[in-house]
Amino acid sequence: MQEAYVRFLQRLAQGASWRDAHMQFWLDMRAFGVEVETPDGVFERGVTTGSPAWKSLLRVRELPCADGLYRVYFRGDPTPEEEQAVEFALAADSLLHDHERLKQEATHDPLTGCLNRKGLQEWFKRRQRRYNNLEFVLVLMDFDKFKRLNDTQGHAKGDEALCAIAQALQAEKRASDVLARLGGDEFVLIFEACACHEGMVDRLRQLKARLPLEQYGLDITFGTACFPKHGETLEQLLAHADLHLYHGKHRGGGEIVWGDSAHGGA
């Protein structure tokens, strides 16, 4: 029976999903069958062919886990080995999913669900290891008149605006693009695998037009930077984009600052 524990850990270490490794663990523990009930349906493994009447002939053990309710079917009476396996499986489930939750909280903004600064830094490190020579465009965004919104309508309204705009940005970006909130009303949008060219100005104008800015009395200023033209580290790129953002804000906001020129918002 100890081999079942070893194989379970080996499967997880080799990249198997928690569900596959967990279900197979119970079969290794000589369960007759196992199923997990999730919002998407019921997944079965083991001797489950034919009429479902076989379930009524067996003893069922229910285990509530993070990804669903597991039902493990046994013959005979409970054994000490079964009790130990249940304790192990529940502890492994809690440990694994608590780790995933803590990692999510550490790298994502709790208000909007976007990456936070730490999450953006981790993304950049992973990218460097994969394909460091591929171009991308980094866009630093800051809302104009956001302080006035908070002061006149309250921080709850400001949070509502941040969430609504973040949701619109998520809907507009490609799956490979990256969206992060650095803090306050400052966001970063990275157009992955995108060449540094003037056509990005029109693309940002179109993006701006699809954001729910007017309903909150806001405008937006974009500062841009291209990798690797304007820097080979995330800090260099953010500093370059922030300088462009500053110039756009200084001229009254609502601008897309690209290269050495400023382009008025659409």
Side-chain angles (χ1 to χ4, degrees), residues 65 199 215 242 249:
C65 293
Q215 69 186 75
D242 190 51
K249 288 280 191 179

Side-chain angles (χ1 to χ4, degrees), residues 140-158:
L140 186 62
M141 297 172 280
D142 191 273
F143 303 127
D144 306 325
K145 306 172 187 176
F146 186 73
K147 183 178 184 302
R148 185 177 69 182
L149 175 65
N150 273 337
D151 291 344
T152 58
Q153 299 190 48
H155 288 277
K157 197 67 174 179

